[in-house]
Amino acid sequence: MRSSRYKYSTINPVARAYIQDIFSKLPNGDPGNFNVFFPIRSIFNARQELLKIDHRFSERFNFSIRWINDTIPTEEPGGLFTSSPVPLVPQTRTNAPGRSVTARFTRTISPRFYNEGGYAWSYGAISSRPIGLIGQDQSPNIKVANMPFPVTLERVPSLSISGFSGITGYGPYENFNINQNYFDNFTAILGKHTLKTGITLNLYRKQENHLTGLNAGSFSFLTTPRPTGTSIANQAWANFLLGNVATFQQASNDLTPDLRQNQWEGYLQDDWRIKSNLTLNLGVRFSYFPSVDDKNNLLTNFDPAKYDPARAPQINPVNGNIIPNTGDLLNGIIINNQNSPYGERVLANPGVKWAPRIGFAWDPFKDQKTAIRGGYGISYDSVLVGIYQQVVGQNPPFVNNIAINNTRLDNPTAGVVSISAAPRNLRFVPSPFRIPYTQQWSLDVQRQMRRFVIMVGYYGSKGTHLLGLQDQNSLRPGVAQQAGLLNENGHVNSANLPRLNALRPYRGFQYINGVNTDYNSNYHSLQVGAQRYFSGSSSLRIAYTWSKALTDSPSDRSTAPQNVYCRACEYSRATFDRTHVFTASYYHVLPYFRQSKGLVKYALAGWQVSGITTLNTGLPQRITSALGVDWAGLGTVGGSAAPIRPDMVSDPNQGAPRDRFQFFNTASFQAVPNGETRLGNAPATFVIGPGINIWNVSMFKNFRWEKGRTAQLRIESFNTFNHTNWASVGTGLGNTNFGQVISTRDPRRLQFGLKLGF
């Protein structure tokens, strides 16, 4: 194939259709380098309607209802969640509507008894459709016959042609949730006691499709045989024209779970005024957060208690693949309303949780100028629903992905079906599931001195059973070494990684990533605040926090521990921990031109200035390895959620120019030496990232006319002094941007506004 010129009759009919409907409509590029420069336009609009009705039936009974309707229509030239660079192809039209109705009543039964209740309904969604050339309605001539599975997504198959940007898209996408909340609160005043009790019921529903995204199909094209002097791009394009497909892939269907969760909470609280200067707050709250169920019966989970090693497939020790016709490929997988021991759910309900709390407020000098406050309480957290969607989108048996090699563009089933014998990757939600909870405590003192108020306090918390990601099918340190499966350097890379499948705790699967509720955190802080009021309504407020947050959970969903068998090894500063946080807010009425007259006074007098200054130290950074080597032989290189950390040989916060080319000392991190089989010794967090120095200042003036007409002119500046605030740095050893600043916060922005009142 020395020439890419072919007679029209030799071009594959589906390739002709792609040329007719897509390629012929693309803008012309530079013939020298084939790059395309094409202006694109994003559309972002927003509209909100609000209606509220308040009605007093009597002095003791009031009712209100509020209705809100939001629409946010947008168009994305690169496609929703895609950001494809090919113009006119991936474009999507999206709307994110939001609607809510809230009805509330209040009833004063007597001077000592009060009742409040109501109902709230809310709806939020993201609805997106492809409107670019990737859509079936925009490319009606592209019809691929004999697809292995019916296509339910309104897109033509994607193309991956080496040397070219891919022809791809996203959608249709429907993601919505409905939330209903019933609530009632009752208050009784009995002597020195103010008793409050209430109950709330929350009904939640969520649906989202496009969990796999491959139902429309995808073609990639051969780049061989390639004659001398022919580029890979030319050869791939030639095979596209001829319809010679390297691989066709398709998912069997586009799953849409219908997730439901009903939650109950109630409380009882007593505000007991023991003395005129001492109040004690006692309370308890109960929470019942059952696990999620799916009305479409697509919900699965990997339950270690249901995994039977005797039914595990056998693994080929040479290539790490499953030996055909051995074992149960669904070993340990449970499905709601099928084989799940929990019926319509895949987790046992955690039961009712009780959360006590106590607090006090004391005025020791009875002068209403000093207050000493303290308290302790426990609160339970409802877990996000998205982790259940992830298991639906990845686990067998509902989605089957087919790959067909050496096939035809006009007949993808004509090739050789590639049945992967590699163990599958799974997602899981924790079983047993333990509800995360937080203990919080505080003690502070506040003192007023004329126009000056100062506050000093200690605040702390401890999180227990927190969510954290982990790969529960990684190997224990030393197992691969004892089995003799390491390479000549004593490590694991992509070449010998599959052989570790025979040693994994749950044989028959590779990575089993998911969230677990095994993690903990603690937080301690000194917080100081002051307020100063000046004449003419001017004021100054400052707040300073010196704190430290420690945790063994890298994050709730994105990063797992390096070694799941030693979560204590992850104990370090949390990635949201800022040691020093300073904030100042100020308001001042400018005194100038007050004595002037006429137009000068009208235009220049009475201007007011307000602002907020934020000065924060940087966040801890997690340094990981991008070298593709698993030095400890845990089997986590590749698709595992567990990161791999290098060695740290010196303090990375010292000895660096701290500019955008090298923010920290990159020489402080090195690969584990060859011949040493162990984890890297770098702590989970140690490098301190960029801080924040932002001043936001605004000026405004109010104008008044007769008959109550007013106007306000505002001039607002964000990052007033245009200070460069670096946002993030490259943290992957082996990447070209390692140690470099890779993003910044917003530059200075000016905003002008005019508000009219009449």
Side-chain angles (χ1 to χ4, degrees):
M1 300 180 185
R2 296 183 180 277
S3 174
S4 58
R5 296 184 179 181
Y6 299 95
K7 294 182 179 179
Y8 183 78
S9 59
T10 64
I11 297 177
N12 186 278
V14 176
R16 287 185 223 159
Y18 271 97
I19 293 173
Q20 178 182 354
D21 286 352
I22 295 181
F23 289 105
S24 66
K25 299 176 182 179
L26 298 182
N28 294 325
D30 187 331
N33 55 26
F34 304 105
N35 290 329
V36 175
F37 296 93
F38 186 78
I40 59 177
R41 178 173 178 260
S42 298
I43 296 177
F44 184 95
N45 296 317
R47 178 187 174 97
Q48 182 183 82
E49 297 97 22
L50 186 149
L51 175 65
K52 185 179 181 183
I53 300 175
D54 296 291
H55 184 69
R56 172 176 287 188
F57 289 93
S58 68
E59 291 185 356
R60 293 188 173 187
F61 187 75
N62 298 291
F63 177 81
S64 67
I65 185 169
R66 185 185 64 182
W67 171 79
I68 298 177
N69 182 53
D70 291 330
T71 56
I72 308 177
T74 61
E75 288 188 12
E76 301 81 22
L80 182 69
F81 307 142
T82 305
S83 300
S84 171
V86 181
L88 306 179
V89 174
Q91 187 174 3
T92 51
R93 178 174 292 139
T94 305
N95 192 13
R99 305 183 187 98
S100 70
V101 177
T102 303
R104 177 177 175 269
F105 74 87
T106 61
R107 183 187 178 203
T108 303
I109 302 171
S110 72
R112 295 190 301 165
F113 299 101
Y114 176 82
N115 184 221
E116 173 204 20
Y119 168 78
W121 175 91
S122 64
Y123 167 88
I126 302 176
S127 178
S128 184
R129 291 286 183 275
I131 60 172
L133 300 177
I134 196 69
Q136 288 179 339
D137 57 340
Q138 299 297 316
S139 298
N141 296 300
I142 300 176
K143 301 182 185 300
V144 180
N146 297 325
M147 298 274 278
F149 304 111
V151 176
T152 58
L153 297 176
E154 300 165 5
R155 301 197 319 263
V156 300
S158 300
L159 302 180
S160 178
I161 306 174
S162 297
F164 296 81
S165 297
I167 301 297
T168 187
Y170 191 86
Y173 177 66
E174 296 292 339
N175 177 1
F176 79 86
N177 61 80
I178 296 176
N179 203 67
Q180 300 181 74
N181 179 241
Y182 301 84
F183 59 93
D184 191 83
N185 302 291
F186 182 79
T187 302
I189 301 175
L190 303 175
K192 295 183 178 182
H193 297 268
T194 300
L195 299 174
K196 297 180 181 180
T197 185
I199 192 169
T200 178
L201 168 63
N202 195 73
L203 310 178
Y204 182 75
R205 178 186 181 189
K206 180 174 178 61
Q207 279 192 339
E208 181 178 359
N209 76 320
H210 221 287
L211 300 182
T212 57
L214 290 174
N215 176 251
S218 175
F219 291 97
S220 63
F221 297 90
L222 297 169
T223 58
T224 57
R226 180 162 55 93
T228 302
T230 302
S231 69
I232 291 177
N234 283 344
Q235 188 60 49
W237 178 255
N239 279 315
F240 160 70
L241 294 177
L242 296 175
N244 298 328
V245 174
T247 303
F248 171 79
Q249 294 179 298
Q250 188 186 16
S252 58
N253 49 16
D254 178 42
L255 296 179
T256 305
D258 187 1
L259 303 179
R260 311 290 180 96
Q261 187 177 42
N262 302 334
Q263 301 176 339
W264 289 86
E265 287 193 286
Y267 71 94
L268 175 63
Q269 179 176 319
D270 180 14
D271 296 332
W272 179 15
R273 193 175 181 85
I274 301 175
K275 296 182 179 180
S276 61
N277 65 331
L278 177 62
T279 300
L280 185 64
N281 311 105
L282 301 170
V284 64
R285 187 179 188 91
F286 80 84
S287 301
Y288 178 55
F289 299 148
S291 60
V292 173
D293 65 274
D294 174 28
K295 298 305 180 184
N296 288 342
N297 297 326
L298 300 173
L299 194 56
T300 66
N301 194 22
F302 176 77
D303 189 347
K306 299 301 177 182
Y307 179 85
D308 183 0
R311 296 190 294 116
Q314 298 301 309
I315 301 296
N316 186 322
V318 177
N319 56 24
N321 288 337
I322 294 175
I323 297 176
N325 303 317
T326 64
D328 179 6
L329 299 182
L330 299 179
N331 190 8
I333 294 179
I334 59 175
I335 306 169
N336 73 320
N337 283 328
Q338 291 192 28
N339 66 334
S340 173
Y342 314 110
E344 63 181 357
R345 298 177 171 87
V346 293
L347 295 175
N349 285 330
V352 176
K353 301 299 179 182
W354 298 90
R357 51 203 65 186
I358 183 173
F360 72 90
W362 180 37
D363 179 3
F365 307 113
K366 298 183 180 180
D367 58 0
Q368 298 183 352
K369 293 184 178 180
T370 302
I372 301 176
R373 303 182 184 91
Y376 169 84
I378 297 176
S379 59
Y380 285 86
D381 186 21
S382 175
V383 178
L384 69 172
V385 174
I387 59 176
Y388 293 88
Q389 291 187 155
Q390 290 176 312
V391 299
V392 173
Q394 182 159 342
N395 289 357
F398 296 111
V399 175
N400 295 302
N401 293 301
I402 192 171
I404 303 177
N405 297 328
N406 298 318
T407 188
R408 300 288 301 164
L409 184 60
D410 54 334
N411 184 14
T413 58
V416 179
V417 177
S418 174
I419 301 177
S420 175
R424 290 192 63 160
N425 301 326
L426 301 180
R427 296 287 302 195
F428 74 91
V429 286
S431 180
F433 185 85
R434 292 168 291 186
I435 297 292
Y437 69 92
T438 302
Q439 303 173 72
Q440 296 177 307
W441 53 87
S442 65
L443 179 65
D444 64 68
V445 179
Q446 182 175 314
R447 176 67 179 175
Q448 179 180 350
M449 296 171 287
R450 294 185 180 180
R451 293 187 176 185
F452 191 74
V453 179
I454 187 170
M455 186 277 293
V456 179
Y458 160 70
Y459 298 83
S461 66
K462 183 184 184 304
T464 305
H465 299 322
L466 301 181
L467 287 180
L469 190 63
Q470 67 182 42
D471 176 5
Q472 64 179 14
N473 210 25
S474 59
L475 277 64
R476 290 183 178 274
V479 171
Q481 185 178 23
Q482 294 173 4
L485 297 183
L486 305 179
N487 61 19
E488 64 278 6
N489 297 322
H491 302 150
V492 171
N493 55 25
S494 58
N496 60 334
L497 173 66
R499 299 184 63 194
L500 272 59
N501 291 335
L503 305 177
R504 295 187 182 274
Y506 302 104
R507 196 175 71 245
F509 304 107
Q510 191 169 13
Y511 309 120
I512 305 180
N513 297 320
V515 297
N516 218 329
T517 52
D518 291 338
Y519 300 92
N520 302 278
S521 70
N522 62 74
Y523 170 80
H524 302 277
S525 70
L526 171 67
Q527 300 184 24
V528 179
Q531 301 178 22
R532 178 69 165 92
Y533 298 95
F534 303 91
S535 60
S537 301
S538 298
S539 64
L540 171 66
R541 299 183 181 185
I542 61 172
Y544 168 72
T545 299
W546 177 39
S547 64
K548 193 168 190 177
L550 299 168
T551 183
D552 58 3
S553 173
S555 70
D556 61 348
R557 297 180 68 183
S558 59
T559 305
Q562 179 178 218
N563 176 15
V564 71
Y565 304 103
C566 183
R567 287 191 298 274
C569 300
E570 299 294 314
Y571 188 67
S572 62
R573 291 180 59 188
T575 54
F576 55 81
D577 176 42
R578 293 189 187 273
T579 303
H580 304 285
V581 175
F582 174 84
T583 304
S585 62
Y586 29 88
Y587 168 78
H588 182 54
V589 180
L590 298 178
Y592 311 113
F593 303 103
R594 289 180 178 177
Q595 306 303 321
S596 301
K597 297 181 180 180
L599 182 61
V600 173
K601 180 177 181 179
Y602 190 76
L604 301 180
W607 280 90
Q608 303 167 58
V609 178
S610 65
I612 298 176
T613 298
T614 302
L615 304 174
N616 297 343
T617 52
L619 296 172
Q621 306 292 308
R622 293 187 176 274
I623 303 300
T624 59
S625 168
L627 299 174
V629 180
D630 176 6
W631 296 300
L634 305 185
T636 55
V637 65
S640 173
I644 297 172
R645 294 199 291 270
D647 275 350
M648 189 175 78
V649 298
S650 62
D651 186 349
N653 297 307
Q654 303 295 327
R658 299 189 75 81
D659 56 21
R660 66 187 182 92
F661 301 105
Q662 189 180 11
F663 185 79
F664 59 86
N665 189 351
T666 55
S668 297
F669 297 97
Q670 299 178 3
V672 173
N674 289 337
E676 296 186 23
T677 304
R678 59 173 175 83
L679 295 165
N681 64 18
T685 58
F686 197 88
V687 170
I688 304 302
I692 297 176
N693 182 346
I694 295 179
W695 296 65
N696 298 329
V697 180
S698 65
M699 295 182 63
F700 57 95
K701 176 177 171 57
N702 295 312
F703 300 87
R704 289 179 173 83
W705 294 279
E706 59 184 7
K707 298 181 180 180
R709 297 177 181 177
T710 63
Q712 185 183 80
L713 177 64
R714 300 186 65 90
I715 305 172
E716 299 174 325
S717 63
F718 303 89
N719 192 7
T720 304
F721 302 112
N722 206 28
H723 179 78
T724 301
N725 286 275
W726 294 326
S728 58
V729 296
T731 57
L733 176 64
N735 290 335
T736 56
N737 62 6
F738 182 56
Q740 299 176 12
V741 175
I742 56 178
S743 66
T744 61
R745 301 182 188 275
D746 290 339
R748 177 173 51 216
R749 182 160 51 93
L750 298 178
Q751 183 172 291
F752 300 88
L754 177 64
K755 182 171 69 174
L756 301 176
F758 52 89

